[in-house]
Amino acid sequence: MDSLRPLVLAFCYNKGILETPRTIERIEVTFTDVTTGAVQSLVSALEAYEKPADLDLDDMMYRDDMFYRDESIQGTIRYEVTYQGGRVQYVEHDKSEIFIDWDMAMIDSFFEHWLKLYETYAEKSFPSGRPLQRFESGYDYWKARLSPEAWDELIHSTDPEDQRLLTDKRPHDEIQDAKEQFEMMFVRAAEPYLEDLRHGFYVDHLLEQRIDVEGSFDAMIALYKEISEAEEKRRAREQLLYGEKDEDNLN
Protein backbone atom coordinates (compact mmCIF):
# COMPACT_ATOMS: atom_id res chain seq x y z
CA MET A 1 0.00 0.00 0.00
CA ASP A 2 2.83 2.38 0.84
CA SER A 3 4.21 1.99 -2.67
CA LEU A 4 0.98 3.53 -4.03
CA ARG A 5 1.23 6.64 -1.86
CA PRO A 6 3.31 8.73 -4.35
CA LEU A 7 0.74 7.99 -7.08
CA VAL A 8 -2.17 8.84 -4.79
CA LEU A 9 -0.49 12.10 -3.75
CA ALA A 10 0.25 13.01 -7.37
CA PHE A 11 -3.41 12.41 -8.27
CA CYS A 12 -4.59 14.55 -5.32
CA TYR A 13 -2.24 17.39 -6.29
CA ASN A 14 -3.32 17.31 -9.94
CA LYS A 15 -7.00 17.34 -9.02
CA GLY A 16 -6.57 20.08 -6.44
CA ILE A 17 -7.63 17.83 -3.56
CA LEU A 18 -4.33 18.58 -1.86
CA GLU A 19 -2.22 21.67 -2.31
CA THR A 20 1.16 20.97 -3.90
CA PRO A 21 4.01 21.52 -1.41
CA ARG A 22 5.52 24.97 -1.81
CA THR A 23 9.24 25.72 -1.93
CA ILE A 24 10.40 28.67 0.17
CA GLU A 25 12.86 30.92 -1.68
CA ARG A 26 13.22 33.70 0.86
CA ILE A 27 11.87 34.86 4.23
CA GLU A 28 12.11 38.45 5.42
CA VAL A 29 11.07 39.27 8.99
CA THR A 30 10.19 42.74 10.26
CA PHE A 31 9.18 44.26 13.58
CA THR A 32 6.56 47.00 13.86
CA ASP A 33 6.60 49.04 17.07
CA VAL A 34 2.97 49.55 18.06
CA THR A 35 3.79 52.76 19.98
CA THR A 36 5.69 54.63 17.28
CA GLY A 37 4.51 52.79 14.18
CA ALA A 38 8.15 52.40 13.13
CA VAL A 39 8.94 49.38 10.98
CA GLN A 40 12.39 47.82 10.83
CA SER A 41 13.94 44.46 10.09
CA LEU A 42 13.88 42.07 13.03
CA VAL A 43 17.66 41.81 12.67
CA SER A 44 18.01 45.58 13.28
CA ALA A 45 15.58 45.47 16.21
CA LEU A 46 17.48 42.61 17.86
CA GLU A 47 20.86 44.26 17.40
CA ALA A 48 19.63 47.57 18.86
CA TYR A 49 17.68 46.08 21.78
CA GLU A 50 18.66 47.31 25.25
CA LYS A 51 17.88 45.05 28.18
CA PRO A 52 15.95 46.55 31.16
CA ALA A 53 18.33 48.70 33.20
CA ASP A 54 17.40 46.93 36.44
CA LEU A 55 18.08 43.45 35.04
CA ASP A 56 21.67 42.20 35.33
CA LEU A 57 23.10 39.58 32.99
CA ASP A 58 23.44 37.12 35.87
CA ASP A 59 19.83 37.60 36.97
CA MET A 60 17.68 34.48 36.75
CA MET A 61 15.06 36.54 34.90
CA TYR A 62 17.51 37.43 32.12
CA ARG A 63 17.13 35.27 29.03
CA ASP A 64 18.62 35.29 25.56
CA ASP A 65 15.15 35.95 24.15
CA MET A 66 14.54 39.03 26.33
CA PHE A 67 13.57 41.13 23.30
CA TYR A 68 10.44 39.03 22.83
CA ARG A 69 9.62 38.85 26.56
CA ASP A 70 10.25 42.51 27.39
CA GLU A 71 6.72 43.89 27.87
CA SER A 72 7.95 47.48 27.72
CA ILE A 73 8.26 47.01 23.96
CA GLN A 74 4.99 46.21 22.19
CA GLY A 75 4.67 45.33 18.56
CA THR A 76 4.19 42.82 15.79
CA ILE A 77 6.52 40.34 14.12
CA ARG A 78 5.76 39.96 10.40
CA TYR A 79 7.08 37.23 8.08
CA GLU A 80 7.15 37.88 4.34
CA VAL A 81 7.58 34.46 2.74
CA THR A 82 8.39 34.30 -0.97
CA TYR A 83 7.75 30.94 -2.60
CA GLN A 84 9.09 29.53 -5.83
CA GLY A 85 6.96 30.91 -8.63
CA GLY A 86 6.56 34.32 -7.00
CA ARG A 87 3.70 33.73 -4.57
CA VAL A 88 4.13 35.78 -1.37
CA GLN A 89 2.58 34.97 2.01
CA TYR A 90 2.40 37.25 5.06
CA VAL A 91 2.16 35.90 8.60
CA GLU A 92 1.97 38.07 11.71
CA HIS A 93 1.94 37.51 15.45
CA ASP A 94 2.39 39.59 18.57
CA LYS A 95 6.04 40.11 19.47
CA SER A 96 5.52 38.70 22.94
CA GLU A 97 3.57 35.61 21.87
CA ILE A 98 5.16 32.48 23.35
CA PHE A 99 4.97 28.90 22.09
CA ILE A 100 3.70 27.57 25.41
CA ASP A 101 4.61 23.90 24.89
CA TRP A 102 8.32 24.76 24.83
CA ASP A 103 8.26 28.15 26.61
CA MET A 104 9.88 29.70 23.53
CA ALA A 105 9.38 32.85 21.49
CA MET A 106 7.40 31.97 18.35
CA ILE A 107 10.31 32.52 15.98
CA ASP A 108 12.56 30.33 18.13
CA SER A 109 10.00 27.51 18.05
CA PHE A 110 9.80 28.00 14.27
CA PHE A 111 13.56 27.47 14.01
CA GLU A 112 13.47 24.56 16.46
CA HIS A 113 10.97 22.70 14.28
CA TRP A 114 13.13 23.23 11.21
CA LEU A 115 16.28 22.22 13.07
CA LYS A 116 14.73 18.87 13.90
CA LEU A 117 13.31 18.53 10.39
CA TYR A 118 16.71 19.18 8.83
CA GLU A 119 18.63 16.83 11.08
CA THR A 120 16.07 14.04 10.59
CA TYR A 121 15.57 14.46 6.84
CA ALA A 122 19.06 15.49 5.70
CA GLU A 123 20.94 13.64 8.48
CA LYS A 124 23.10 16.73 8.90
CA SER A 125 23.67 19.14 11.74
CA PHE A 126 21.67 22.39 11.58
CA PRO A 127 22.77 24.91 10.40
CA SER A 128 26.36 23.83 9.63
CA GLY A 129 25.49 20.95 7.29
CA ARG A 130 27.97 18.65 9.03
CA PRO A 131 26.91 15.03 8.39
CA LEU A 132 25.56 13.27 11.47
CA GLN A 133 27.57 10.22 12.48
CA ARG A 134 27.51 7.02 14.50
CA PHE A 135 30.22 6.54 17.14
CA GLU A 136 31.37 3.38 18.87
CA SER A 137 31.37 5.01 22.31
CA GLY A 138 30.77 8.23 24.20
CA TYR A 139 34.56 8.66 24.35
CA ASP A 140 34.78 8.66 20.55
CA TYR A 141 31.85 11.05 20.30
CA TRP A 142 33.28 13.70 22.60
CA LYS A 143 36.75 13.41 21.08
CA ALA A 144 35.29 14.09 17.63
CA ARG A 145 32.93 16.85 18.66
CA LEU A 146 34.96 18.95 21.12
CA SER A 147 37.58 21.49 20.12
CA PRO A 148 41.20 20.48 20.86
CA GLU A 149 41.21 22.84 23.84
CA ALA A 150 37.92 21.55 25.25
CA TRP A 151 38.99 17.93 24.71
CA ASP A 152 42.27 18.52 26.53
CA GLU A 153 40.35 20.08 29.42
CA LEU A 154 37.96 17.12 29.54
CA ILE A 155 40.59 14.38 29.61
CA HIS A 156 42.48 16.14 32.40
CA SER A 157 39.36 16.85 34.45
CA THR A 158 38.85 15.12 37.81
CA ASP A 159 35.13 15.93 37.88
CA PRO A 160 33.13 12.67 38.26
CA GLU A 161 30.66 13.75 35.57
CA ASP A 162 33.50 14.37 33.10
CA GLN A 163 35.00 11.00 33.95
CA ARG A 164 31.63 9.39 33.30
CA LEU A 165 31.62 10.85 29.78
CA LEU A 166 35.10 9.50 29.10
CA THR A 167 34.29 5.99 30.29
CA ASP A 168 30.91 5.75 28.53
CA LYS A 169 31.19 2.65 26.34
CA ARG A 170 27.73 2.88 24.81
CA PRO A 171 27.43 3.63 21.07
CA HIS A 172 26.42 7.19 20.25
CA ASP A 173 24.19 7.46 17.18
CA GLU A 174 23.53 11.05 16.12
CA ILE A 175 21.19 9.95 13.32
CA GLN A 176 18.99 7.93 15.67
CA ASP A 177 19.12 10.74 18.24
CA ALA A 178 17.84 13.18 15.60
CA LYS A 179 14.92 10.90 14.74
CA GLU A 180 14.03 10.46 18.41
CA GLN A 181 14.14 14.24 18.95
CA PHE A 182 11.84 14.69 15.96
CA GLU A 183 9.39 12.13 17.36
CA MET A 184 9.45 13.77 20.79
CA MET A 185 8.61 17.10 19.17
CA PHE A 186 5.24 15.76 18.00
CA VAL A 187 4.65 13.30 20.87
CA ARG A 188 1.88 10.89 19.81
CA ALA A 189 1.42 12.47 16.36
CA ALA A 190 4.97 11.80 15.18
CA GLU A 191 4.26 8.99 12.73
CA PRO A 192 2.11 11.03 10.27
CA TYR A 193 4.80 13.73 10.22
CA LEU A 194 7.52 11.14 9.64
CA GLU A 195 5.45 9.66 6.83
CA ASP A 196 5.03 13.08 5.21
CA LEU A 197 8.75 13.70 5.64
CA ARG A 198 9.56 10.44 3.86
CA HIS A 199 7.71 11.91 0.88
CA GLY A 200 9.54 15.22 1.10
CA PHE A 201 7.05 17.61 2.67
CA TYR A 202 6.01 19.04 6.01
CA VAL A 203 2.98 21.04 7.14
CA ASP A 204 4.55 23.99 8.95
CA HIS A 205 2.80 25.04 12.18
CA LEU A 206 3.50 28.76 11.76
CA LEU A 207 2.97 29.17 8.01
CA GLU A 208 0.13 26.64 7.93
CA GLN A 209 1.37 25.51 4.53
CA ARG A 210 2.51 22.22 3.04
CA ILE A 211 6.24 22.88 2.50
CA ASP A 212 8.78 21.16 0.24
CA VAL A 213 11.42 20.57 2.90
CA GLU A 214 14.56 19.91 0.86
CA GLY A 215 13.98 22.85 -1.48
CA SER A 216 13.31 25.18 1.46
CA PHE A 217 16.31 24.37 3.65
CA ASP A 218 18.58 27.05 2.16
CA ALA A 219 16.08 29.83 2.88
CA MET A 220 15.51 28.60 6.43
CA ILE A 221 19.22 28.33 7.18
CA ALA A 222 19.89 31.80 5.73
CA LEU A 223 17.19 33.32 7.96
CA TYR A 224 18.41 31.43 11.03
CA LYS A 225 21.97 32.66 10.49
CA GLU A 226 20.80 36.29 10.10
CA ILE A 227 18.80 36.20 13.31
CA SER A 228 21.49 34.30 15.24
CA GLU A 229 24.20 36.75 14.16
CA ALA A 230 22.07 39.70 15.31
CA GLU A 231 21.48 38.09 18.70
CA GLU A 232 25.20 37.30 19.06
CA LYS A 233 26.08 40.94 18.35
CA ARG A 234 23.60 42.11 20.98
CA ARG A 235 24.92 39.66 23.58
CA ALA A 236 28.51 40.70 22.85
CA ARG A 237 27.56 44.36 23.26
CA GLU A 238 25.73 43.63 26.51
CA GLN A 239 28.69 41.70 27.86
CA LEU A 240 31.00 44.56 26.97
CA LEU A 241 28.73 47.17 28.57
CA TYR A 242 27.37 45.29 31.57
CA GLY A 243 29.41 42.14 32.07
CA GLU A 244 32.00 43.69 34.40
CA LYS A 245 29.29 45.47 36.40
CA ASP A 246 27.33 42.23 36.79
CA GLU A 247 30.43 40.40 37.98
CA ASP A 248 30.98 43.13 40.58
CA ASN A 249 27.42 42.63 41.81
CA LEU A 250 28.27 39.03 42.70
CA ASN A 251 30.93 40.12 45.20
Side-chain angles (χ1 to χ4, degrees):
M1 187 69 180
D2 187 58
S3 62
L4 295 177
R5 181 180 168 94
L7 297 176
V8 173
L9 287 174
F11 174 81
C12 291
Y13 296 147
N14 290 335
K15 296 298 182 180
I17 300 171
L18 287 176
E19 195 171 17
T20 303
R22 291 193 168 97
T23 301
I24 300 172
E25 288 192 341
R26 182 175 68 257
I27 304 179
E28 297 178 2
V29 188
T30 56
F31 169 65
T32 302
D33 189 306
V34 73
T35 303
T36 65
V39 180
Q40 61 183 316
S41 70
L42 181 59
V43 165
S44 296
L46 288 170
E47 286 185 6
Y49 172 66
E50 295 280 352
K51 72 178 182 65
D54 60 348
L55 189 63
D56 292 333
L57 299 185
D58 60 287
D59 194 302
M60 289 181 62
M61 296 298 293
Y62 176 87
R63 299 176 55 137
D64 286 341
D65 60 357
M66 281 305 301
F67 171 76
Y68 306 104
R69 296 177 184 269
D70 189 339
E71 295 182 356
S72 69
I73 302 174
Q74 298 293 319
T76 302
I77 304 291
R78 189 189 206 207
Y79 305 77
E80 180 179 318
V81 186
T82 302
Y83 295 100
Q84 196 172 77
R87 182 179 182 274
V88 178
Q89 177 189 10
Y90 297 97
V91 176
E92 293 184 356
H93 62 75
D94 187 273
K95 174 192 75 75
S96 301
E97 185 175 348
I98 299 297
F99 187 70
I100 298 298
D101 290 356
W102 298 344
D103 189 27
M104 280 185 178
M106 289 299 292
I107 193 168
D108 289 339
S109 73
F110 181 53
F111 287 139
E112 189 69 16
H113 278 84
W114 278 89
L115 179 155
K116 290 178 169 58
L117 276 170
Y118 183 78
E119 296 193 343
T120 301
Y121 183 87
E123 296 186 352
K124 296 178 181 179
S125 179
F126 184 93
S128 69
R130 171 187 60 77
L132 301 181
Q133 294 178 255
R134 295 182 173 92
F135 297 90
E136 293 297 321
S137 68
Y139 179 96
D140 295 329
Y141 169 77
W142 291 111
K143 185 175 182 179
R145 290 291 164 257
L146 293 177
S147 67
E149 296 79 11
W151 173 249
D152 185 66
E153 183 178 337
L154 178 63
I155 61 176
H156 290 98
S157 172
T158 57
D159 187 290
E161 182 60 24
D162 290 340
Q163 290 301 310
R164 187 190 66 79
L165 297 177
L166 291 171
T167 56
D168 183 4
K169 302 298 183 183
R170 295 172 298 176
H172 192 102
D173 188 338
E174 292 183 318
I175 296 172
Q176 181 60 31
D177 286 351
K179 182 180 178 183
E180 290 176 359
Q181 288 295 314
F182 182 88
E183 292 174 344
M184 288 174 61
M185 181 167 67
F186 295 107
V187 196
R188 295 183 182 86
E191 189 51 44
Y193 282 97
L194 282 170
E195 180 65 16
D196 289 346
L197 203 55
R198 281 190 279 269
H199 295 279
F201 65 87
Y202 163 69
V203 180
D204 186 83
H205 76 290
L206 178 65
L207 305 180
E208 297 183 346
Q209 294 286 339
R210 189 184 298 266
I211 304 297
D212 159 32
V213 293
E214 188 168 9
S216 302
F217 282 146
D218 286 348
M220 292 303 308
I221 289 172
L223 177 63
Y224 176 82
K225 287 182 175 179
E226 284 181 8
I227 298 298
S228 296
E229 183 177 334
E231 291 177 335
E232 287 171 7
K233 287 180 179 179
R234 174 183 60 77
R235 285 194 292 269
R237 174 171 51 80
E238 286 180 337
Q239 192 62 44
L240 185 64
L241 291 173
Y242 308 114
E244 188 173 316
K245 172 187 173 183
D246 292 341
E247 288 174 8
D248 291 342
N249 289 341
L250 294 176
N251 297 328

